[in-house]
């Protein structure tokens, strides 16, 4: 860049840096606009799940406690009527299973967990199919046994509550799902901070708190979910999922505590939720398509991640993902795509738009050299990353890492990356860090701060073995 151009760019950057406080104001404008009466998060025909239909997030009217006859006649089944104690010590598993079996056979039934009580249940699978319209309403506190020493030996150590083969289920309430995760996080095999900034070994088996498996037409709303031993909420093999108005929280250094994880799941909407945890705020695994995330606040966390994908030379297919109107703060990553070397398949049609970053390390990152250890070998094949858009991404970054990092495979370039209205400034200091690019093709549609001059123009000359990238 010549002297005149360099001085002009420096002047523009300084003015924008001084006024960077306006970035948050612009973010709130987008949020307020999103909450206006005419706004509907799912108004895009491409990403709107075909089901479930919108439902009110207000809790269902609570039945009189311990009134079995009244509850049954109104298709509301209070777990207290089935023998639950709710003192936080007694094992209430049998009462919950009995209430589930009874309600499962009744159309539009409600399993009711009343407020003012704490219910402890062991690892349980709530099986379907059930009659349509089943509601599981938690207004009290629901929790697992307190740590691995109290976990029944006969129970699965990898999951706590599982909803299996269900259609048209609503999991809601104003209560709390308490994971009692602290004793799991402190296991010697868990990755956690060691002396002098080192990381001690991990991971090891711990239960995911809530899992939805092979189910459809699901609504999860209103609950407070916290301190999971591992993933807070996991969806696997599902279709048609609406998640809204959740509060998910665990400490910053709790290992492997992803907030919401989805894999092999399609037609998903995640709206208006607040997530703070020790791993990915939301993680999107292989086999996911048509996912809309809007109005989510993350942090502290590891950000919103697609991946990791392609582990052990597997094929991974992810498509049509949008993240809009998000706030990510005090996090190790912002928005990220991560793949292992040696994988196949593709990540395509990804859009990140209207996202405010506050003190985030690795704000925008594509990493095709993801490795959970230092023993990964270089491999030729890779998951093909293409058609990725970053628009109106603004805020501040942690200066320990460049704010923008595109590390694409040597043999399979990332293509059609679009950058627009990206303005990122250091949280501390005034010097802008240069972005990093490797074999990444794309374009800046507007002036970007810092400028991304390392993006390659056009398309690579050839992409080898294109058949490896086909996804059905």
């Amino acid at each position: 860049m010549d002297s005149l151009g360099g001085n002009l760019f420096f002047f523009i950057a300084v003015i924008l840096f001084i006024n960077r406080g306006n970035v948050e104001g612009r973010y709130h404008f987008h949020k307020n606009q999103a909450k206006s009466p005419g706004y509907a998060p799912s108004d895009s025909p491409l990403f709107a799940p075909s089901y479930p239909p919108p439902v009110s997030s207000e809790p269902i009217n609570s039945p009189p406690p311990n009134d079995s006859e009244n509850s049954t006649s109104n298709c509301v089944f209070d777990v207290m009527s089935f023998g639950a104690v709710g003192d936080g010590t007694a094992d209430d598993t049998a009462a919950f299973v009995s209430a589930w079996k009874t309600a499962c056979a009744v159309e539009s039934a409600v399993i009711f967990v009343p407020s003012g009580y704490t219910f402890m249940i062991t690892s349980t699978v709530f099986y379907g199919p059930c009659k349509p319209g089943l509601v599981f309403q938690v207004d009290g506190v629901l929790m697992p046994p307190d740590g691995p020493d109290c976990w029944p030996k006969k129970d699965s150590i990898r999951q706590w509550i599982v909803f299996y083969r269900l259609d048209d289920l609503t999991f809601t309430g104003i209560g709390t799902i308490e994971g009692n995760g602290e004793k799991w996080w402190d296991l010697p095999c868990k990755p956690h901070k060691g002396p002098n900034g080192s990381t001690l070994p991990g991971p090891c088996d711990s239960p995911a708190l809530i899992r939805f498996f092979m189910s459809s037409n699901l609504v999860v709303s209103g609950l407070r979910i916290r301190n999971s031993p591992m993933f807070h909420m996991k969806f696997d093999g599902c279709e048609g999922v609406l998640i809204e108005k959740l509060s998910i929280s665990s400490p910053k250094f709790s290992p492997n505590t992803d907030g919401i994880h989805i894999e092999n799941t399609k037609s998903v909407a995640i709206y208006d939720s607040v997530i703070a945890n020790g791993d990915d705020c939301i993680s999107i695994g292989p086999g996911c398509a048509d996912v809309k995330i809007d109005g989510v606040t993350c942090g502290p966390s590891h950000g919103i991640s697609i991946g990791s994908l392609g582990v052990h030379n597997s094929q991974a297919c992810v498509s049509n993902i949008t993240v809009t109107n998000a706030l990510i703060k005090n996090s190790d990553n912002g928005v990220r795509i991560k793949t292992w070397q040696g994988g196949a398949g593709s990540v395509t049609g990804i859009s990140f738009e209207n996202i405010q970053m506050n003190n985030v390390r690795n704000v925008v990152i594509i990493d095709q050299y993801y490795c959970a250890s230092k023993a990964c070998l270089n491999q030729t094949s890779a998951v093909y990353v293409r058609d990725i858009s970053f628009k109106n991404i603004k805020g501040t970054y942690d200066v320990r890492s460049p704010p923008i990092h595109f590390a694409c495979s040597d043999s399979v370039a990332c293509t059609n990356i679009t950058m627009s209205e990206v303005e990122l400034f250091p949280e501390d200091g005034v010097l802008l860090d240069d972005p990093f690019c490797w074999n990444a093709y794309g374009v800046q549609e507007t002036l970007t701060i810092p400028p991304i001059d390392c993006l390659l123009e056009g398309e690579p000359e050839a992409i080898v073995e294109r058949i490896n990238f086909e996804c059905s």
Side-chain angles (χ1 to χ4, degrees):
M1 180 180 293
D2 60 31
S3 176
L4 179 60
N7 291 334
L8 177 61
F9 172 76
F10 178 77
F11 176 75
I12 293 171
V14 170
I15 293 299
L16 289 172
F17 179 72
I18 292 173
N19 291 285
R20 71 184 186 186
N22 292 330
V23 170
E24 186 169 0
R26 284 193 292 270
Y27 165 75
H28 286 298
F29 167 78
H30 288 295
K31 290 291 288 181
N32 293 335
Q33 187 180 53
K35 305 306 176 203
S36 64
Y39 176 80
S42 60
D43 56 3
S44 167
L46 178 59
F47 296 107
S50 56
Y51 47 74
V55 297
S56 171
S57 61
E58 295 299 318
I60 298 166
N61 292 330
S62 302
N66 300 317
D67 187 348
S68 177
E69 182 179 353
N70 179 74
S71 297
T72 302
S73 64
N74 289 290
C75 298
V76 177
F77 302 92
D78 188 331
V79 295
M80 304 292 283
S81 301
F82 290 83
V85 177
D87 63 358
T89 302
D91 184 351
D92 290 323
T93 309
F96 274 71
V97 171
S98 181
W100 174 270
K101 288 180 178 178
T102 303
C104 180
V106 178
E107 188 170 344
S108 300
V110 177
I111 300 166
F112 181 66
V113 182
S115 62
Y117 299 91
T118 298
F119 302 90
M120 191 279 291
I121 68 172
T122 60
S123 179
T124 304
V125 179
F126 293 106
Y127 288 92
C130 293
K131 295 288 187 179
L134 182 60
V135 175
F136 196 129
Q137 181 179 331
V138 179
D139 285 356
V141 177
L142 187 57
M143 68 181 190
D146 186 19
D149 291 341
C150 297
W151 204 263
K153 301 300 182 185
K154 63 181 177 57
D155 287 354
S156 169
I157 203 171
R158 305 193 70 177
Q159 56 195 26
W160 176 47
I161 289 180
V162 180
F163 296 101
Y164 176 58
R165 289 198 177 277
L166 293 162
D167 180 67
D168 193 11
L169 170 72
T170 296
F171 187 44
T172 188
I174 57 173
T176 298
I177 313 296
E178 169 58 59
N180 291 333
E182 184 174 358
K183 293 178 181 178
W184 295 94
W185 307 330
D186 291 338
L187 289 174
C189 58
K190 281 286 183 178
H192 58 280
K193 298 297 181 182
N196 302 318
S198 63
T199 300
L200 299 181
C204 57
D205 285 341
S206 298
L209 202 59
I210 303 165
R211 184 186 184 201
F212 295 87
F213 183 46
M214 301 293 291
S215 296
S216 58
N217 301 340
L218 304 171
V219 176
V220 183
S221 69
L223 294 164
R224 183 184 183 193
I225 305 168
R226 64 184 193 180
N227 298 325
S228 176
M230 200 171 171
F231 293 0
H232 286 77
M233 185 169 290
K234 181 177 182 180
F235 296 82
D236 187 1
C238 297
E239 185 166 3
V241 178
L242 172 62
I243 302 167
E244 62 174 356
K245 300 186 174 117
L246 294 187
S247 172
I248 297 176
S249 63
S250 60
K252 180 177 182 179
F253 295 112
S254 55
N256 306 123
T257 53
D258 291 41
I260 300 171
H261 175 77
I262 62 174
E263 60 183 74
N264 300 310
T265 294
K266 297 176 173 60
S267 298
V268 179
I270 304 173
Y271 297 147
D272 303 322
S273 296
V274 178
I275 303 171
N277 60 318
D279 211 302
D280 293 338
C281 166
I282 298 172
S283 54
I284 300 171
C288 292
D290 303 327
V291 178
K292 172 73 174 181
I293 301 168
D294 183 88
V296 170
T297 296
C298 292
S301 71
H302 292 183
I304 298 175
S305 291
I306 298 172
S308 57
L309 306 174
V311 65
H312 303 313
N313 305 102
S314 61
Q315 184 185 61
C317 299
V318 175
S319 62
N320 297 341
I321 314 293
T322 65
V323 180
T324 55
N325 303 315
L327 169 62
I328 302 177
K329 57 184 180 180
N330 303 319
S331 296
D332 286 353
N333 301 288
V335 290
R336 174 169 60 159
I337 300 171
K338 52 181 179 176
T339 72
W340 295 79
Q341 293 187 76
S346 66
V347 178
T348 182
I350 314 298
S351 175
F352 301 104
E353 183 173 357
N354 299 343
I355 301 177
Q356 170 73 23
M357 303 285 184
N358 291 348
N359 191 28
V360 174
R361 190 175 182 181
N362 300 312
V363 174
V364 173
I365 179 169
I366 298 175
D367 180 11
Q368 292 206 275
Y369 297 88
Y370 179 76
C371 179
S373 69
K374 296 182 179 180
C376 298
L377 300 176
N378 288 332
Q379 298 187 56
T380 302
S381 63
V383 177
Y384 184 20
V385 177
R386 68 180 189 273
D387 304 334
I388 316 297
S389 172
F390 302 93
K391 183 176 182 180
N392 197 25
I393 314 293
K394 298 179 180 180
T396 62
Y397 61 88
D398 184 325
V399 296
R400 289 177 294 170
S401 301
I404 300 170
H405 186 99
F406 295 143
C408 300
S409 166
D410 286 343
S411 56
V412 186
C414 302
T415 63
N416 197 24
I417 298 171
T418 303
M419 310 292 290
S420 176
E421 302 175 65
V422 175
E423 297 176 11
L424 300 170
F425 296 94
E427 177 71 15
D428 298 312
V430 297
L431 296 177
L432 297 174
D433 286 340
D434 291 331
F436 173 83
C437 303
W438 183 261
N439 208 21
Y441 287 75
V443 62
Q444 295 181 71
E445 291 187 337
T446 66
L447 176 65
T448 296
I449 308 297
I452 313 172
D453 297 330
C454 57
L455 276 178
L456 301 173
E457 295 181 356
E459 294 279 344
E461 291 184 5
I463 297 178
V464 297
E465 300 179 15
R466 188 174 293 270
I467 192 172
N468 288 340
F469 314 127
E470 298 301 325
C471 289
S472 57

